[in-house]
Amino acid sequence: MNITLGDRTAETAAVYFEKTRSPVIRSTLPQKARTLEEALADFRETQLPGAKSFGRTIYADGQYVGDVWCCCMDPAGDPQAMVSYCVFEQELWGRGVAAKALGLFLAEIRERFRLERVGAFTFAANTGSIRVLEKNGFRLQESFTEDGVESGYYVRISSNGD
């Protein structure tokens, strides 16, 4: 399967919002936007000069299947950004799509923004997401419970060449 990244647009942001309304996805991916209008406003903020977030679309064999993004970008911070991803086409789960897309994205943000220390949160029960993070060099830094849900904070520190 050929995994590539593409540009986010208002159109893909709207598709992403609609596709991630499923109860299965909502149970594993906390989402700030409650309406399409909020999602589009959030997207427009990423297009402004000096935006602290950046995202890409994920394509599997030419089909749009999800998004990968980072937020809270701060080259002087630790971590320098937080990453998230979602493959909304459930028939592709467990097939390496998210792991490959995240790897491509990490290389891009390292080159483009010089981000080397990157963090991520995931629910402890989301074993698929944990595997994606670990395949990309993230290591568990802290386990915690928030709002009754066990979660983990993962960090990846790049070294030359990865």
Side-chain angles (χ1 to χ4, degrees), residues 84-159:
S84 293
Y85 46 86
C86 178
V87 173
F88 52 69
E89 296 297 345
Q90 294 179 37
E91 69 273 6
L92 296 177
W93 291 1
R95 297 186 55 200
V97 174
K100 176 69 174 175
L102 181 58
L104 292 170
F105 186 73
L106 290 168
E108 182 173 345
I109 64 172
R110 183 171 191 251
E111 177 70 24
R112 186 175 192 160
F113 301 108
R114 301 288 182 230
L115 301 178
E116 296 184 359
R117 295 178 315 280
V118 181
F121 290 103
T122 191
F123 296 140
N126 191 344
T127 57
S129 184
I130 293 168
R131 281 193 305 275
V132 168
L133 292 171
E134 290 175 344
K135 284 180 182 179
N136 280 284
F138 285 80
R139 298 295 170 249
L140 180 65
Q141 296 297 301
E142 179 184 352
S143 295
F144 60 94
T145 301
E146 185 175 62
D147 297 328
V149 179
E150 291 182 47
S151 299
Y153 169 60
Y154 289 76
V155 175
R156 178 181 190 265
I157 300 172
S158 296
S159 59

Side-chain angles (χ1 to χ4, degrees), residues 42-53:
D42 289 346
F43 164 75
R44 284 190 293 276
E45 281 185 30
T46 70
Q47 305 302 296
L48 298 174
K52 298 293 182 193
S53 61

Side-chain angles (χ1 to χ4, degrees), residues 14-31:
V15 170
Y16 178 85
F17 178 80
E18 294 302 326
K19 293 277 192 172
T20 59
R21 299 295 88 199
S22 83
V24 172
I25 291 175
R26 291 178 68 133
S27 72
T28 61
L29 182 68
Q31 298 169 359

